[in-house]
């Protein structure tokens, strides 16, 4: 057991995967000598060599596209995209090639690669550094999507993604990179694609992922003071989504609030709301409610707090749910 | 820094142009000398003023960021000649597409320093009015603006052609467009497409690359085996490699390119070889990836110092001039600081108005929801206030 930040847990997870499998290699901008702008790959170039930690030229399509070739060739490439908003030069490669090569070849070629994308806001930065584009990728068949909310998951999910024979995108909650937690290097938390009930409750369920998980937990604590028992689910995987765990919880609590940083419109909250309504309609005491950002481009830092859902917005949604 | 050798590499044979050498002495260059011959000492003093103003504001930017007054600052130190020298020869009617470090370009275009700081203070996504200064907002997604510049230039050509065809040709010089980007951005795929389109449509666009040797921590050697100007030939247009710390060379190369564009013989690429003397941004720590020795070497090639020596030794400009300029720049920086500190934060609700040109039902609904939600807080605060008053009374 070690106490690590989320960022250092990812470093440790990557290092272990590289130790155990010589075919694992990292590609990205500034990931070598600098160790990445968030220092997530710090020390890995010195330890594993420039042939396994590639400080690439600047080109996201280049990073992801060459990783496809490397993966087909038998490597396990891990691509780093520097910030969420810079994923899009690689959008073509990710959605038309990474996601589809296996289906195109009727299973003859696999693309076992990992794409790490630091995502989410409230870091007080300029445009393109604070986005939550997970729904754009979840909508594309052929990709798996993970998002850790804590150090233990961060450590293991990197390794599980690398070991997976399908392409996996890991959305890393950059504003939680410094969040510390216990990492158990011996015992894996199990299936990375399963959701986790991280706080039990009986009156309502809050589903969150990545950077919003601590907010959801804070909401459960605050609700407790008002005598409400709120269950919190950390979704962990955004493709596939573990609807069984969510549905089972809602059958018990009768109420569901989904909170994410991404805009509400067209966000994954809508998909969860629809599935749960289909599966547990007669258990619902209130409509499923969503808390997300507005249908606006991510705003300048001075007003980002108004855009991203916070504790108050989650509590307000819970109040509305209880009011039915 | 890693050295890279490549078996089978084909070296570039491009000339590196220079008019003002490292000692501030004017050198002859067969291609470019004619384009700098008529520059007066007053004009040189203007260029000096612009370069030093940019540096002074840049220093103030870093200090404001350190004091928590900006969310980020992007230093331009070292690139003053490349920036001022390339924008100074443009006409106000020439459209400029900057990247994100082109503060000296913006100031030369008339953007007040405080206006530019709105972006870095996290108050605005753009900063200035692009139409007022004929200057696109900064583009952070590397290379994206190069395509926009090409399209804008295509439009300018089409307009001119249409006016000619209709028998009422446009007055004045044909417009030119400049797309600024870095050595790092030059390797993004979109930049390739921009060059292909520009070549196909003879777009009057100048691709102006500031090769400052670094893309955050990635050295130039990772981006290219050869000077970037070499690439132009592959697309079938002219590429010039110029000492980017030489204000005369940059002015002359830009004038040469703009003339060509106005004759309808574009595009042109200029690679200005310069150096990012500071950090990538205030969030960066260059000691992690580059040697002090390299910084010192480039320190001796400082573009401002070179022009100062030239003004002093060749044109006998006296110390009073330099002192006055420094004092004026200090005053501008002080005023900018005061303006920045006095800026009030934007209203979030205004964000709902800027997204669509025409009414959008979802945005309208969410705007109303937001206001409702905020009103809920005000109501709560009021009731708390009255409670506490009740207790006090
Ligand atoms: C598409 C994209 N990828 C990554 C980034 C992150 N990033 C910002 S600046 C930069 C380096 C750019 O270097 P260069 O083009 O040489 O310009 P310079 O910063 O040296 O002026 C990087 C990688 C980005 N802004 N856009
Ligand atoms: Mg550069």
């Amino acid at each position: 057991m070690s106490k690590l930040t989320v960022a250092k847990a990812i470093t440790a997870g990557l290092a272990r995967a590289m130790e155990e499998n010589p075919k694992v290699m990292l590609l990205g901008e500034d990931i070598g000598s600098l160790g990445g702008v968030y220092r997530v790959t710090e020390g890995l170039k010195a330890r594993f060599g420039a042939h396994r930690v590639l400080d690439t030229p600047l080109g996201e399509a280049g990073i992801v596209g060459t990783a496809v070739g490397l993966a087909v060739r038998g490597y396990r490439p891990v691509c780093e995209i520097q910030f969420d908003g810079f994923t899009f030069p690689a959008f073509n490669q990710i959605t038309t090639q990474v996601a589809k090569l296996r289906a195109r070849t009727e299973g003859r070629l696999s693309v076992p690669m990992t794409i790490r994308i630091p995502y989410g806001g409230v870091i007080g930065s300029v445009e393109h550094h604070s986005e939550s584009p997970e729904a754009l990728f979840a909508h594309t068949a052929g990709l798996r999507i993970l998002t850790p909310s804590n150090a233990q998951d961060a450590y293991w999910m990197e390794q599980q993604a690398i070991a997976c024979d399908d392409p996996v995108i890991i959305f890393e909650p950059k504003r939680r990179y410094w969040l510390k937690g216990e990492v158990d290097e011996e015992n894996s938390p199990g299936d990375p694609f399963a959701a986790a009930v991280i706080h039990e409750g009986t009156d309502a369920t809050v589903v969150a992922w990545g950077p919003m998980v601590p907010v959801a937990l804070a909401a459960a604590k605050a609700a407790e003071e008002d005598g409400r028992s709120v269950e919190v689910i950390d979704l962990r995987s955004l493709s596939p989504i573990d609807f069984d765990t969510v549905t089972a919880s809602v059958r018990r609590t009768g109420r569901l609030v989904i909170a994410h940083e991404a805009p509400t419109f067209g966000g994954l909250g809508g998909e969860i709301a629809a599935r749960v309504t289909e599966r547990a309609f007669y258990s619902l005491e209130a409509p499923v409610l969503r808390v997300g950002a507005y249908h606006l481009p991510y705003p300048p830092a001075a007003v980002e707090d108004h855009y991203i859902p916070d504790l108050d917005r989650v509590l307000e949604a819970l109040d509305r749910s209880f009011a039915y | 820094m890693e050295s890279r050798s490549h078996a089978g590499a084909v070296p570039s044979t491009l000339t590196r142009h220079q008019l003002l050498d490292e000692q501030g002495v004017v050198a002859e260059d067969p291609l470019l000398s004619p384009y700098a011959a008529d520059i007066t000492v007053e004009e040189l003093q203007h260029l000096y003023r612009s370069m030093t103003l940019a540096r002074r504001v840049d220093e103030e930017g870093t200090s404001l960021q350190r004091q928590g007054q900006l969310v980020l600052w992007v230093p331009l130190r070292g690139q003053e000649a490349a920036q001022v020298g390339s924008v100074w020869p443009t006409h106000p009617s020439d459209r400029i597409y900057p990247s994100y470090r082109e503060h000296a370009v913006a100031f030369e275009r008339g953007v007040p320093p405080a206006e530019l700081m709105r972006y870095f203070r996290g108050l605005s996504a753009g900063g200035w009015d692009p139409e007022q200064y004929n200057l696109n907002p900064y583009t952070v997604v590397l290379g994206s603006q190069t395509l926009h510049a090409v399209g804008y230039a295509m439009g300018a050509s089409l307009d001119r052609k249409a006016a000619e065809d209709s028998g009422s040709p446009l007055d004045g010089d044909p417009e030119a467009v400049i797309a600024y980007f870095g050595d790092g951005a030059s390797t993004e795929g979109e930049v390739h497409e921009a060059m292909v389109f520009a070549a196909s449509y003879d777009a009057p666009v100048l691709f102006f690359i500031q090769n400052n040797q670094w893309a955050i921590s990635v050295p130039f050697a990772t981006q290219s085996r050869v000077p970037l100007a070499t690439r132009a030939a592959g697309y079938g247009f002219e590429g010039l490699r110029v000492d980017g710390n030489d204000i005369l060379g940059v002015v002359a190369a830009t004038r040469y390119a703009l003339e060509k564009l106005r004759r309808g013989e574009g595009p042109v690429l200029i690679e200005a070889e310069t150096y990012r003397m500071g950090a990538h941004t205030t969030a960066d720590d260059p000691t992690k990836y580059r040697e002090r020795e390299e910084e010192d070497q480039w320190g001796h090639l400082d573009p401002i110092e070179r022009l100062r020596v030239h003004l002093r030794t060749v044109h006998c400009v006296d110390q009073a001039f330099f002192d006055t300029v420094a004092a004026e720049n200090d005053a501008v920086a002080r005023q900018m600081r005061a303006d920045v500190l006095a800026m009030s934060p934007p209203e979030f609700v205004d964000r709902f108005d800027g997204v669509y040109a025409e009414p959008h039902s979802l945005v309208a609904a969410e705007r109303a929801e937001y206001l409702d939600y905020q009103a809920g807080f005000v109501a709560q605060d009021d009731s708390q206030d009255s409670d506490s008053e009740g207790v006090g009374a």
Side-chain angles (χ1 to χ4, degrees):
Chain A
M1 295 282 263
S2 334
K3 193 154 183 144
L4 295 177
T5 62
V6 167
K8 286 300 160 205
I10 296 172
T11 317
L14 291 171
R16 182 158 167 191
M18 295 182 82
E19 251 162 40
E20 290 177 356
N21 183 350
K23 294 289 191 185
V24 176
M25 57 187 290
L26 315 183
L27 295 86
E29 295 163 6
D30 303 293
I31 66 168
S33 313
L34 184 64
V37 294
Y38 282 105
R39 307 295 184 264
V40 167
T41 53
E42 191 152 49
L44 298 181
K45 182 176 168 191
R47 186 157 155 205
F48 296 101
H51 62 299
R52 291 186 69 194
V53 181
L54 272 56
D55 258 325
T56 66
L58 272 54
E60 289 71 15
I63 293 167
V64 173
T66 55
V68 171
L70 284 160
V72 168
R73 178 71 199 185
Y75 287 83
R76 295 261 157 176
V78 182
C79 304
E80 176 177 302
I81 302 291
Q82 200 161 80
F83 282 93
D84 35 57
F86 306 139
T87 311
F88 302 104
F91 197 66
N92 169 49
Q93 286 292 332
I94 297 172
T95 55
T96 71
Q97 305 305 316
V98 174
K100 295 185 173 65
L101 192 59
R102 187 178 165 81
R104 187 177 299 142
T105 59
E106 273 126 17
R108 290 181 188 91
L109 296 182
S110 304
V111 191
M113 59 185 277
T114 303
I115 304 174
R116 301 179 35 242
I117 306 177
Y119 81 123
V122 213
I123 59 159
S125 191
V126 294
E127 209 186 353
H128 315 297
H129 292 74
S130 304
E131 295 171 13
S132 301
E134 62 266 28
L136 295 176
F137 297 93
H139 194 61
T140 302
L143 305 171
R144 292 172 182 270
I145 304 176
L146 296 174
T147 180
S149 70
N150 57 72
Q152 167 78 347
D153 274 354
Y155 175 75
W156 285 101
M157 280 181 178
E158 298 289 335
Q159 298 174 67
Q160 290 165 321
I162 292 168
C164 181
D165 287 335
D166 290 319
V168 181
I169 297 179
I170 305 185
F171 280 103
E172 299 176 358
K174 71 171 93 76
R175 73 161 145 142
R176 308 292 179 202
Y177 269 152
W178 298 275
L179 185 72
K180 279 197 168 170
E182 289 296 341
V183 172
D184 178 347
E185 291 96 342
E186 302 305 320
N187 302 298
S188 121
D191 182 2
F193 303 104
V197 174
I198 55 170
H199 182 86
E200 289 185 1
T202 52
D203 302 339
T205 303
V206 174
V207 166
W209 54 87
M212 282 301 287
V213 169
V215 180
L217 281 173
K221 296 244 158 61
E224 221 158 75
E225 285 164 21
D226 289 345
R228 307 281 197 185
S229 162
V230 173
E231 181 144 304
V232 177
I233 295 180
D234 178 352
L235 206 55
R236 300 178 75 243
S237 171
L238 306 179
S239 181
I241 288 176
D242 176 4
F243 292 113
D244 289 350
T245 297
V246 179
T247 309
S249 171
V250 174
R251 287 217 171 94
R252 275 183 274 111
T253 63
R255 294 185 161 83
L256 175 61
V257 169
I258 306 144
H260 55 59
E261 283 196 11
T264 307
F265 180 73
L268 289 179
E271 181 61 36
I272 298 165
R275 297 268 169 174
V276 168
T277 307
E278 285 162 11
R279 290 166 157 227
F281 186 69
Y282 289 108
S283 307
L284 285 170
E285 308 278 348
V288 179
L289 297 179
R290 291 168 297 160
V291 184
Y294 299 101
H295 185 65
L296 299 173
Y298 200 93
V303 288
E304 66 183 333
D305 291 344
H306 291 253
Y307 177 78
I308 290 285
D310 57 3
L311 173 63
D312 285 331
R313 296 243 334 257
V314 177
L315 288 174
E316 190 264 350
L318 279 169
D319 283 348
R320 272 191 289 137
S321 180
F322 287 128
Y324 276 92
Chain B
M1 187 170 136
E2 283 160 54
S3 65
R4 289 174 169 244
S5 66
H6 303 274
V10 178
S12 167
T13 53
L14 271 185
T15 312
R16 182 173 186 272
H17 296 282
Q18 188 187 58
L19 289 182
L20 197 57
D21 75 9
E22 289 74 8
Q23 279 70 48
V25 177
V26 176
E28 261 315 297
D29 181 285
L31 183 75
L32 294 188
S33 287
Y35 290 88
D38 65 346
I39 298 177
T40 65
V41 65
E42 287 74 26
E43 287 173 331
L44 285 175
Q45 286 174 311
H46 167 84
L47 293 167
Y48 178 84
R49 205 175 272 119
S50 298
M51 288 164 66
T52 50
L53 174 76
R55 181 167 295 188
R56 181 64 187 84
V57 172
D58 181 47
E59 285 162 0
E60 202 68 19
T62 296
S63 120
L64 280 166
Q65 200 283 334
R66 295 265 177 268
Q67 293 156 4
Q69 298 297 336
L70 301 178
V71 299
L72 186 79
W73 179 244
V74 178
L76 62 67
R77 191 184 187 87
Q79 300 179 217
E80 295 87 351
Q83 295 189 10
V84 173
S86 54
V87 71
W88 181 66
T90 61
H91 297 339
S93 54
D94 296 334
R95 186 75 158 200
I96 310 287
Y97 280 82
S99 188
Y100 48 78
R101 200 185 295 281
E102 281 67 58
H103 319 316
V105 172
F107 302 152
E108 190 68 14
R109 271 284 157 140
V111 176
E115 192 68 9
L116 180 137
M117 295 295 169
R118 295 177 55 74
Y119 178 83
F120 293 101
R121 196 163 160 80
L123 305 178
S124 159
W128 57 83
D129 174 357
E131 298 296 356
Q132 184 182 350
Y133 304 104
N134 220 1
L135 177 70
N136 200 56
Y138 280 166
T139 301
V140 171
V141 183
L142 296 170
S144 293
Q145 77 280 9
T146 58
L147 282 161
H148 312 159
V150 171
Y152 195 93
M154 287 163 64
S157 300
L158 288 170
D159 284 349
R160 183 154 282 270
K161 175 87 174 34
E164 260 164 35
D165 290 351
S166 72
S168 44
L170 298 176
D171 293 338
D173 277 346
E175 287 165 51
V177 178
I178 303 188
Y180 285 94
F181 54 102
D183 46 294
S186 79
T187 64
E188 291 281 352
E190 291 182 1
V191 174
H192 164 66
E193 296 187 28
M195 293 194 183
V196 169
F197 274 65
S200 276
Y201 294 102
D202 306 321
V205 63
L206 167 58
F207 295 108
F208 193 92
I209 303 178
Q210 289 169 80
N211 180 350
N212 62 7
Q213 312 304 322
W214 290 94
I216 311 186
S217 74
V218 183
F220 177 59
T222 301
Q223 316 290 354
S224 182
R225 294 178 176 188
V226 290
L228 296 168
T230 315
R231 289 188 188 161
Y235 299 99
F237 54 85
E238 187 168 8
L240 291 177
R241 185 182 171 203
V242 62
D243 179 349
N245 286 2
D246 157 10
I247 183 73
L248 292 183
V250 176
V251 167
T254 306
R255 282 177 165 180
Y256 170 85
L258 292 176
E259 273 191 16
K260 223 174 152 170
L261 300 189
R262 297 194 209 286
R263 287 197 305 268
E265 297 167 20
V268 176
L269 184 158
I270 291 176
E271 176 185 17
E273 293 178 340
T274 177
Y275 193 71
R276 193 195 79 210
M277 289 168 75
H280 170 68
T281 67
T282 44
D284 177 42
D285 174 9
T287 62
K288 293 251 177 205
Y289 53 81
R290 70 183 190 190
E291 302 296 331
R292 185 61 196 268
E293 205 179 35
E294 181 192 286
E295 293 179 1
D296 290 345
Q297 272 168 15
W298 279 93
H300 295 304
L301 304 175
D302 187 319
I304 289 182
E305 192 48 33
R306 201 185 297 187
L307 179 56
R308 192 204 315 270
V309 170
H310 176 72
L311 282 170
R312 220 178 7 223
T313 56
V314 178
H315 298 281
C316 305
V317 171
D318 61 13
Q319 189 55 37
F321 166 76
F322 299 106
D323 293 345
T324 309
V325 170
E328 286 167 3
N329 292 343
D330 282 342
V332 172
R334 265 198 308 276
Q335 184 60 48
M336 177 201 72
R337 166 178 284 269
D339 291 347
V340 165
L341 297 183
M343 285 172 180
S344 47
E347 292 293 338
F348 180 72
V349 71
D350 294 338
R351 306 309 302 172
F352 291 96
D353 302 332
V355 186
Y356 292 97
E358 295 184 20
H360 187 285
S361 56
L362 175 63
V363 171
E366 289 196 347
R367 184 181 190 279
E369 263 170 44
Y370 169 75
L371 288 174
D372 254 16
Y373 178 72
Q374 290 300 314
F377 276 109
V378 174
Q380 249 176 28
D381 288 353
D382 285 355
S383 65
Q384 275 165 11
D385 283 357
S386 53
D387 277 0
S388 58
E389 270 167 26
V391 171

